[in-house]
Amino acid sequence: MHRFTNKKMKLLRSRYGFRYFKLLIWLVISFIFYIQFINRHQPNTNSLRTNLIFHSHSNAVSNLISESDTVSFLRRNHGSFNDMKIYIYNIPSRYNLDWLSNERCSNHLFASEVAIHKALMNSDVRTFDASDADFFFVPVYVSCNFSTNGFPAISHARALLKSAVELISSELPYWNRSNGSDHVFVASHDHGACFHAMEDKAVANGIPEFMKNSIILQTFAVKHSHRCQDVEHVVIPPYVSPEKVRSTPVNGNRDIYAFFRGKMEVHPKNVSGRFYSRRVRTEILKKFGKNKRFYLKRHRFDGYYSEIARSVFCLCPRGWAPWSPRVVEAVALGCVPVIIADEIRLPLEAAVPWAEISVTVAEKDVGMLAGILNDVAKTNLTWIQRRLWDPKVRHALLFNNDVEDGDATWHVLVALSDRLDRSYRSRRVVNK
């Protein structure tokens, strides 16, 4: 009887012990998610050091719990990015979130600076422990200051970025120890990190001295030497809303042969004496404005995406800069992009087979555009369209709210993981 009682008591202790263990694990996991929720929703403060201490404590708890197989799901495999980790500076909202009061900030052609920040915030590569980071993302929105004509004005960009760098370099040690070489910025406007819409002014100003050692994610890129890309950089796509693309019906009925809607000046020389688009768009209007096979429109239209979805060829002439959101819009909606921008380097060339899905026309040959497109239509149009309509190609050029395998932010992360030699942390590990 006594032996039976002892066995029974051991069994009860075993059962209750297991229950207490499960309860303990549940409480700890709940605590971690609570800490992460508070961290993501806490108000910004002027003290980056305070935020860093908070992040370090929550990360230490997370690391302790991750040793248990029971909660291994909290850690995901980062093999695609060589176990790269990125720390996002929690700088005051005047540098970023305050600009979102204007809803255009997250939806216009320069909005990749917002989209990348948002996707990284929930990304598996994000770390809350700055001492464990390979790269440091500086989330400053400089393209959301819209002028009275509706276009982004970026005259404030240099001062705003310099202020952010002064803040992070005075509060934390990570900028100073590498001179910013493992820090990442987005420059998603006309001439990238030169921060000016006019090329001559951009070249004259150059890249700000304090950013010359950093990594710039920028839309501007050309094949020849250029002062505005004389920095470590990744060529990214301009922002095109994935929601807007997915909501546009594409039924295969392409009744428009060659399409362009946008700014086409009859007299391209502006008040400052510069020629918009190097006269390319003016030449298109002059030569093909009365050609019935060319659907050319100069004014905005809410159904613009539906026109792209109906078109065989979409003209993508340069503007002030070589790149254009029309290239991404065309690919996303299955229209063959006709790129008219000499020396342009296109985004994510390692992932997107541009030579197979587009037509390139030299600026000097724009007057022969009709004949060039007719030749393509008679020869290899079907072959081009078959490759263009591969869903992976469209996916690679679109930024989503969260990082998705193969989307634009995913490819940016791949490009950064190829630059881990710039990481202070990675160099330190290798040298141990």
Side-chain angles (χ1 to χ4, degrees), residues 254-258 308 310-314 334-337 381 385:
R254 298 192 178 268
D255 58 322
I256 299 174
Y257 181 68
I308 296 174
R310 291 168 48 201
S311 302
V312 177
F313 295 107
C314 287
C335 180
V336 177
L381 176 60
Q385 289 175 327

Side-chain angles (χ1 to χ4, degrees), residues 236-240 245 305 308 316 324-334 337 347 354 394 397-398:
I236 63 172
Y239 182 80
V240 170
V245 167
Y305 274 24
I308 296 174
C316 305
S324 167
R326 290 175 180 82
V327 176
V328 175
E329 292 166 338
V331 173
L333 293 166
W354 288 107
R394 174 180 61 195
L397 295 171
L398 297 177

Side-chain angles (χ1 to χ4, degrees), residues 94-95 157-169 210:
R94 66 179 180 272
Y95 292 102
R158 289 171 179 264
L160 190 65
L161 285 159
K162 185 178 181 180
S163 170
V165 169
E166 288 173 348
L167 175 65
I168 63 178
S169 62
F210 61 86

Side-chain angles (χ1 to χ4, degrees), residues 113-160:
E113 62 183 7
V114 180
I116 292 172
H117 181 204
K118 186 174 184 180
L120 289 180
M121 289 287 283
N122 297 317
S123 169
D124 293 338
V125 302
R126 184 185 184 187
T127 179
F128 292 94
D129 182 357
S131 65
D132 201 32
D134 294 295
F135 294 113
F136 298 81
F137 185 76
V138 188
V140 181
Y141 303 167
V142 302
S143 302
C144 295
N145 184 28
F146 299 102
S147 60
T148 53
N149 64 8
F151 293 103
I154 55 174
S155 58
H156 69 300
R158 289 171 179 264
L160 190 65

Side-chain angles (χ1 to χ4, degrees), residues 28 31-37 39-40 42 50-67 74-75 78 85-88 123-133 174 425:
V28 173
F31 176 72
I32 290 172
F33 283 122
Y34 174 74
I35 288 292
Q36 291 180 344
F37 174 83
N39 177 59
R40 289 176 183 175
Q42 65 179 322
T50 300
N51 289 329
L52 179 61
I53 291 170
F54 182 89
H55 291 163
S56 298
H57 284 320
S58 64
N59 194 71
V61 175
S62 180
N63 285 339
L64 177 65
I65 300 305
S66 69
E67 298 300 322
L74 291 174
R75 294 286 183 187
H78 301 161
K85 297 180 181 180
I86 298 177
Y87 180 79
I88 303 172
S123 169
D124 293 338
V125 302
R126 184 185 184 187
T127 179
F128 292 94
D129 182 357
S131 65
D132 201 32
Y174 306 106
R425 170 182 170 269

Side-chain angles (χ1 to χ4, degrees), residues 187-257:
S188 53
H189 19 80
D190 292 273
H191 293 97
C194 283
F195 301 110
H196 203 287
M198 303 295 108
E199 186 170 17
D200 57 340
K201 293 281 189 181
V203 170
N205 292 337
I207 297 168
E209 196 66 33
F210 61 86
M211 292 178 67
K212 286 185 176 179
N213 289 322
S214 299
I215 302 172
I216 313 297
L217 312 180
Q218 64 178 38
T219 45
F220 173 80
V222 289
K223 294 176 181 176
H224 58 269
S225 176
H226 197 287
R227 202 172 178 205
C228 297
Q229 63 182 17
D230 189 17
V231 64
E232 187 68 28
H233 63 280
V234 177
V235 188
I236 63 172
Y239 182 80
V240 170
S241 167
E243 292 80 16
K244 194 172 178 181
V245 167
R246 290 165 190 147
S247 65
T248 302
V250 180
N251 55 25
N253 179 27
R254 298 192 178 268
D255 58 322
I256 299 174
Y257 181 68

Side-chain angles (χ1 to χ4, degrees), residues 93-106:
S93 60
R94 66 179 180 272
Y95 292 102
N96 42 58
L97 301 184
D98 286 355
W99 294 100
L100 296 178
S101 59
N102 185 332
E103 64 179 23
R104 280 194 64 203
C105 183
S106 57

